[in-house]
Amino acid sequence: MKLKERVLRRLNGQEVDMTPVGSTTTYGCVAFMKRCGVTRPEVDSDPQALALMAIAGHTVGGFDWIRAMGSDITAASELLGCKVHSPAPDAPYAIASHPCEHGDVDRLDCPDDLLSRGRMPAYREQFRILKAKFGKDLAIYGASEGPFTCAANLMDAAPLMKAAIEAPGKVEKVMAVTTETLIRMIRFAAGEGADYYCLAEPSSTPALLSPKYWDRFVGPYIRKIAESVPCPVVLHICGQTAPIIRSMCGTGVAGISIEEKMDMQSAVRIAHAMGVKVFGNVATAATLFSGTPEECRAEAMAALAAGTDFLCPGCGIDPNSPLDNVLQMRLSRDEKFGQPKFTPAERVAL
């Protein structure tokens, strides 16, 4: 079975020959950069460097599908006025300013020239390169922060959480704008060749936001996005998501991405009953970054045994994760399904 067919059939709930392996979160690994011959800031903003890093996920990391639109979750926030910066070559773009942190949201709006702002022109060219080179063979996904995390970037997390209690109308105003922005970004990505889109919502984890407020300020907006775009949506949320997993699956998304804190067997049971697929959940910090290859293999095998639909990291891969650790996901999948051993490319070229 061809790789693209495997990924898209699994996402659509059809039978496949083996579990797809890859990442639906960020994978801006320094080990990938070295084999691409690129570094920051090029990997965040130059179309060719962006394309090389996407391809490295496949040829170096062994992933069955690839990510477009960079290695961070700040692009939508930047379009709406947040300043971003990368403090070091091994650190992805982070938010440097919160334009609405003092509660001034009345003038916030989704700009008409959205798709010509920020990194969107670079993403358009990256999609062109990837589609021309791999569009027939590999699934390509777009990705960014979700609407609530975008709102947290605009207002800063603490003021947003406080406003959810004391000034809910203000939060709803911001969420309306971030939701419209994400709808336009996803339509853009789908039009440029994305087969699905992943929304990362780390700011909406139950450790920060109660299920009651999640159902009011996150779920309805994710559903609106999923119902308004022409490609499947996958929702990633960090941490222990057991309190909201049914709500996550009830938003109309095609898949959910979970960390190791969420039990995979429980997630699969709940998600499959609601027609949703599960991505995950090898630990990124404790295992892929700081563990041994043997520990990475054990977690990958455990996720496969628990029934994950897509064997993936539980969150974005730390840039300094050893390549030998990252490769254990591919090697474990291939071992389980009797495939030849994968050998990573020494160099990545367009």
Side-chain angles (χ1 to χ4, degrees):
M1 184 175 289
K2 292 183 178 181
L3 298 183
K4 185 170 185 175
E5 180 186 10
R6 178 185 300 148
V7 170
L8 298 185
R9 283 180 63 88
R10 173 54 61 89
L11 192 58
N12 290 326
Q14 299 170 290
E15 291 296 320
V16 296
D17 57 345
M18 67 184 78
T19 303
V21 59
S23 174
T24 197
T25 49
T26 57
Y27 57 82
C29 303
V30 172
F32 292 0
M33 294 183 202
K34 291 178 179 178
R35 299 196 183 199
C36 293
V38 297
T39 187
R40 287 199 157 88
E42 290 81 11
V43 297
D44 299 307
S45 57
D46 177 78
Q48 291 195 340
L50 285 162
L52 285 167
M53 285 296 289
I55 294 166
H58 174 58
T59 62
V60 180
F63 301 163
D64 285 351
W65 69 101
I66 55 177
R67 170 180 171 132
M69 302 179 70
S71 301
D72 62 85
I73 52 170
T74 64
S77 306
E78 183 183 18
L79 295 176
L80 293 176
C82 288
K83 302 296 183 183
V84 298
H85 74 122
S86 178
D90 60 352
Y93 271 164
I95 299 297
S97 70
H98 309 282
C100 301
E101 66 180 322
H102 299 300
D104 182 14
V105 303
D106 292 336
R107 290 180 292 178
L108 183 66
D109 201 3
C110 183
D112 292 336
D113 63 346
L114 182 79
L115 299 183
S116 64
R117 291 189 174 197
R119 287 166 276 167
M120 299 305 287
Y123 293 160
R124 187 187 302 276
E125 176 62 11
Q126 180 198 25
F127 269 116
R128 187 196 66 77
I129 296 169
L130 295 178
K131 188 175 180 180
K133 191 172 182 66
F134 287 112
K136 294 181 180 180
D137 302 316
L138 296 178
I140 303 169
Y141 71 102
S144 67
E145 69 271 44
F148 191 80
T149 295
C150 185
N153 290 341
L154 290 165
M155 294 184 67
D156 203 1
L160 176 65
M161 303 301 176
K162 183 177 181 182
I165 299 170
E166 299 179 357
K170 187 173 293 186
V171 177
E172 289 166 351
K173 160 65 177 175
V174 177
M175 289 298 297
V177 174
T178 60
T179 297
E180 178 60 26
T181 300
L182 266 301
I183 289 172
R184 290 179 61 185
M185 288 181 68
I186 298 172
R187 288 174 176 169
F188 156 84
E192 296 296 329
D195 295 292
Y196 79 87
Y197 198 97
C198 183
L199 293 171
E201 282 287 18
S203 296
S204 77
T205 177
L208 299 175
L209 190 71
S210 73
K212 171 185 174 181
Y213 286 102
W214 199 96
D215 287 338
R216 177 172 181 180
F217 294 114
V218 185
Y221 298 95
I222 299 294
R223 172 168 285 281
K224 182 176 181 180
I225 291 171
E227 292 175 346
S228 303
V229 299
C231 66
V233 174
V234 171
L235 176 60
H236 170 78
I237 299 182
C238 306
Q240 173 53 272
T241 48
I244 59 169
I245 194 162
R246 286 181 173 82
S247 294
M248 291 170 64
C249 293
T251 57
V253 297
I256 59 170
S257 168
I258 59 171
E259 279 195 335
E260 74 281 358
K261 296 180 180 68
M262 177 66 208
D263 178 71
M264 177 58 76
Q265 282 187 319
S266 296
V268 168
R269 175 177 53 81
I270 294 167
H272 284 190
M274 301 178 73
V276 176
K277 298 303 177 184
V278 184
F279 293 68
N281 62 342
V282 178
T284 51
T287 308
L288 289 178
F289 173 58
S290 57
T292 64
E294 292 75 20
E295 290 169 333
C296 296
R297 178 187 178 279
E299 284 199 19
M301 285 296 194
L304 288 167
T308 186
D309 295 301
F310 296 84
L311 178 60
C312 293
C315 195
I317 303 176
D318 187 281
N320 289 306
S321 297
L323 179 58
D324 283 348
N325 284 2
V326 175
L327 286 170
Q328 294 308 311
M329 293 187 295
R330 171 62 184 264
L331 296 175
S332 298
R333 191 284 304 272
D334 287 351
E335 178 184 338
K336 181 175 177 63
F337 289 93
Q339 298 300 298
K341 185 176 181 180
F342 172 77
T343 300
E346 292 296 326
R347 298 294 297 173
V348 183
L350 296 178

